Amino acid sequence: MKQATRTISDRGNVKTSLFEKISYGMGDVACNVVFALTSGLVTYFYTNVMSVSAGLVGMIMLLSRFFDGFSDLAIGVIMDKVHSKHGRGRAWVLWMTIPYGVTAVALFCLPPQATGIAQALYIFVTYNLCTTVVYTALNLPYATMAPLMTRDENDLAKINLFRMSMSPIGNLIVSAVTLPLINRMGGDQAAWIKVMSVWAVLALALLLLCFFRCEEKVQIEARKKDEKLPIPTMLKALFANQYFWAVMLLWTVQSVSFTITGTILPYYCKYIFNNDTWMYSALFLTETLVLVVGIFICSPLIKKFGKRNIAFVGGFVALGGQILFFLNPYSFGFMVMSCVTRAIGLAPLNAVVFSMVGDVVEFGQWKNHIRQESLIFAGGSIGT
């Protein structure tokens, strides 16, 4: 068989240590600092602190998403062409660490005197520099590291389980602590900048831990040939992978859910419950903690029922949690129950989605004899 000619280093069968899994998970904790900011709090900052028109902010976010889709594929292609002694994905984690922190803080340095076009241009440029360029060039290579750390299916599943169980911690730190801390510091723009600077330094430290403690062990000789393939051939192989489309849809649903919740919740607490500080923090903390515990519990369920089945059932549970909220949208108690139920349902999806992307990479190599970590993760990231 043609597949048999593809050589893989024995080091690819070496399993990762517990500390390596934790270090890899810390990378997503850092990445989620910016995700938490851009999926909710930065919008709140622009409209409620800097008095920017909600319509203008929404339009900028919409336009930015189109650019972000192109940047995902561009970074995927560039990753296949750029070589470094630090590895394929790991090198980008090092290169993007400082730009990541600087651009995240820059989001909140909107000149107070700026109005109209100047205001829109600053938001558009800094937002896209942070999310479309730097965050993509960091998070996408980071995601491709997992299948390069091991080819053992169970070990890869555990790596991604650690990633997704630790991932909400970044959201938790930023979303649950930021508003109370900022309000204690005066609630003005200077307070936002100071708090965001602290988060940026924390993220930098975690990314460096991820870089120094993780190693790309999988060495596939045939990849050197794949890297020389023309882009149309690589895209054709990607689009012919039916499981790529399925996982991208799954990734899209997950991202829509988190983005809607993260964006709406601070406004909802402010205008419905008249409390955008402790109520917002309590709700976000509750949902995140349940999600983290739920992801860890999913490990034995994955072995018994399979990734697809637990994600499928979890989707209906999450939908039930959302319906529960609509029964009494003015009740804080119903909101808490909704958050708990929704987190229980979303936990299986979070536990398996990136492991499924790794499976798509392996399937694509088996079917098309082309290994495409970068492009598959880039294409899936378009769902975000």
Side-chain angles (χ1 to χ4, degrees):
M1 292 177 62
K2 185 176 180 180
Q3 181 68 16
T5 64
R6 305 178 65 82
T7 55
I8 302 173
S9 168
D10 289 338
R11 296 186 70 222
N13 296 322
V14 176
K15 294 184 179 181
T16 55
S17 67
L18 175 62
F19 189 67
E20 195 170 3
K21 292 183 178 72
I22 294 174
S23 299
Y24 182 71
M26 286 297 181
D28 214 30
V29 174
C31 288
N32 268 280
V33 170
V34 161
F35 184 80
L37 295 176
T38 58
S39 65
L41 287 180
V42 73
T43 305
Y44 184 85
F45 167 77
Y46 287 143
T47 58
N48 286 45
V49 178
M50 303 304 293
S51 301
V52 181
S53 163
L56 175 62
V57 175
M59 182 60 67
I60 291 174
M61 301 297 179
L62 176 62
L63 292 174
S64 299
R65 297 284 68 78
F66 290 105
F67 290 109
D68 204 10
F70 287 112
S71 72
D72 288 333
L73 289 177
I75 292 297
V77 172
I78 292 172
M79 283 182 62
D80 284 330
K81 305 300 181 183
V82 175
H83 302 271
S84 169
K85 64 180 181 180
H86 298 304
R88 290 166 59 83
R90 184 168 166 265
W92 289 83
V93 172
L94 176 64
W95 296 337
M96 291 296 113
T97 294
I98 293 179
Y100 167 85
V102 172
T103 56
V105 175
L107 289 172
F108 300 88
C109 295
L110 174 66
Q113 68 277 11
T115 58
I117 296 178
Q119 199 176 59
L121 282 175
Y122 183 89
I123 295 174
F124 181 81
V125 171
T126 55
Y127 186 81
N128 278 279
L129 185 61
C130 179
T131 62
T132 304
V133 180
V134 176
Y135 182 74
T136 299
L138 168 65
N139 190 254
L140 178 58
Y142 165 79
T144 65
M145 284 176 58
L148 295 172
M149 291 167 66
T150 180
R151 282 178 61 88
D152 183 280
E153 183 178 353
N154 291 329
D155 196 44
L156 180 60
K158 290 178 181 178
I159 290 175
N160 283 291
L161 195 66
F162 268 85
R163 173 190 178 178
M164 296 313 297
S165 60
M166 296 174 67
S167 171
I169 296 175
N171 266 317
L172 177 63
I173 293 173
V174 173
S175 300
V177 179
T178 296
L179 285 181
L181 189 58
I182 286 173
N183 288 335
R184 288 185 65 87
M185 297 175 66
D188 57 2
Q189 183 182 17
W192 281 82
I193 294 174
K194 291 174 184 176
V195 173
M196 296 310 152
S197 298
V198 172
W199 298 154
V201 172
L202 175 62
L204 186 148
L206 295 178
L207 287 171
L208 290 177
L209 173 66
C210 177
F211 170 78
F212 284 112
R213 301 304 301 179
C214 294
E215 181 183 359
E216 295 181 3
K217 302 182 179 71
V218 176
Q219 305 292 334
I220 300 178
E221 295 299 324
R223 182 188 287 121
K224 297 178 180 178
K225 174 180 69 69
D226 296 343
E227 292 170 351
K228 299 177 181 178
L229 292 174
I231 294 176
T233 301
M234 297 169 66
L235 292 176
K236 182 180 179 181
L238 176 69
F239 296 151
N241 189 330
Q242 65 266 36
Y243 294 111
F244 160 74
W245 295 104
V247 173
M248 187 179 74
L249 178 62
L250 198 62
W251 201 336
T252 303
V253 172
Q254 178 204 40
S255 299
V256 167
S257 171
F258 278 106
T259 302
I260 289 177
T261 303
T263 303
I264 291 176
L265 191 57
Y267 292 99
Y268 196 90
C269 290
K270 180 176 180 63
Y271 296 112
I272 301 300
F273 297 137
N274 297 313
N275 187 315
D276 62 347
T277 304
W278 76 263
M279 280 191 173
Y280 169 70
S281 299
L283 289 171
F284 199 92
L285 177 65
T286 299
E287 185 163 3
T288 303
L289 290 178
V290 173
L291 183 65
V292 170
V293 173
I295 291 174
F296 273 113
I297 293 175
C298 284
S299 182
L301 298 179
I302 293 173
K303 292 181 180 179
K304 185 172 183 178
F305 300 107
K307 302 173 188 176
R308 182 198 64 177
N309 294 335
I310 67 167
F312 185 73
V313 173
F316 283 99
V317 175
L319 179 61
Q322 195 62 43
I323 294 174
L324 180 65
F325 158 73
F326 284 113
L327 296 178
N328 193 348
Y330 295 96
S331 168
F332 183 75
F334 266 80
M335 179 66 93
V336 172
M337 289 189 292
S338 174
C339 288
V340 171
T341 308
R342 187 170 57 207
I344 292 173
L346 289 175
L349 176 57
N350 279 264
V352 304
V353 64
F354 286 104
S355 179
M356 284 181 169
V357 179
D359 295 338
V360 173
V361 173
E362 300 295 337
F363 175 79
Q365 181 181 349
W366 171 80
K367 180 180 180 180
N368 302 310
H369 313 299
I370 300 175
R371 189 172 180 87
Q372 299 180 288
E373 292 103 345
S374 303
L375 268 184
I376 287 175
F377 275 91
S381 182
I382 292 176
T384 305

